[in-house]
Amino acid sequence: MIPSTLHLVFTGLLQTVVAFAATIAFSVIFHTPRRELLFTGLTGAAGWLVYFVVIQSGNGTVAASFLATLALAWLSRIFSFARKAPVTIFLICGIFPLVPGAGIYYTGYNFFMGLDELALDKGLETIKIAVAIALGIGIVLSLPQGLFSFRRRKN
C-alpha cells in the first residue's frame, strides 16, 4: 500500500500533467501559435498546481481559485514579455483548468430538476469562483510592467 503522502504527491503530479495537456489541447483549439504551446501548457499547469496545493492545505475552492489565478496571471505576464507575445495568449489558455464549468452545469441541472436550494448553493459558489478569478486577473494586470520584464537597465 502506498503511504498517503506519496499518494498525495503522485496525485498532484498526475493532475498537473493532465492540466498541462488539457491546456495545450485548448490552446490548439484557440489557434495559439505553435511556438507558444509549451508556455501556455506551463501556465495552465502552474495554475493547477497552486490550486491543488491550496486545496490540500485545507482552504476552499474560492481561495484556491484566487491564488491560482494570481500565479498563472503573473506567469502569463512574464511569458508575455519574455516571448514578445500578447498576454492574452497565455492568460486565456492558462485559465482553462480553473474555469468552474462543472459548477455552471450543476447549477443548471439542479435548477431544471427542481432542486432550487442545491441550484442556489452551487450557483453562488460558482459566482464566487468567477469573481475570484476576475479579481486575480485584474490585480496582476494592473501591476506595472517593470515587475515582469527582466531587461538590464543602462546607466
Side-chain angles (χ1 to χ4, degrees):
M1 185 132 346
I2 299 174
S4 64
T5 304
L6 184 59
H7 177 71
L8 189 63
V9 169
F10 177 74
T11 302
L13 288 176
L14 180 64
Q15 288 185 17
T16 302
V17 168
V18 170
F20 175 81
T23 303
I24 289 177
F26 179 76
S27 299
V28 170
I29 294 170
F30 192 64
H31 298 289
T32 300
R34 291 183 115 179
R35 66 184 183 278
E36 306 303 345
L37 291 178
L38 174 68
F39 297 98
T40 60
L42 289 173
T43 304
W48 186 260
L49 183 61
V50 170
Y51 179 85
F52 182 80
V53 168
V54 172
I55 288 290
Q56 294 305 316
S57 68
N59 292 299
T61 56
V62 176
S65 296
F66 176 71
L67 294 173
T69 302
L70 287 176
L72 74 87
W74 189 280
L75 194 57
S76 294
R77 290 209 54 195
I78 289 172
F79 285 156
S80 172
F81 283 102
R83 307 284 303 158
K84 294 182 174 78
V87 71
T88 54
I89 289 175
F90 307 104
L91 186 60
I92 292 174
C93 296
I95 205 78
F96 174 73
L98 299 178
V99 172
I104 295 168
Y105 170 80
Y106 286 116
T107 299
Y109 176 81
N110 290 327
F111 177 75
F112 287 113
M113 296 306 284
L115 305 170
D116 295 336
E117 189 174 321
L118 287 175
L120 182 62
D121 287 344
K122 189 51 91 172
L124 287 175
E125 180 186 30
T126 302
I127 289 170
K128 288 177 188 176
I129 292 170
V131 168
I133 290 171
L135 285 174
I137 291 170
I139 289 170
V140 174
L141 291 182
S142 67
L143 295 173
Q145 287 184 18
L147 295 174
F148 304 99
S149 61
F150 300 108
R151 296 181 205 147
R152 293 183 181 164
R153 292 186 170 86
K154 295 179 181 179
N155 291 338

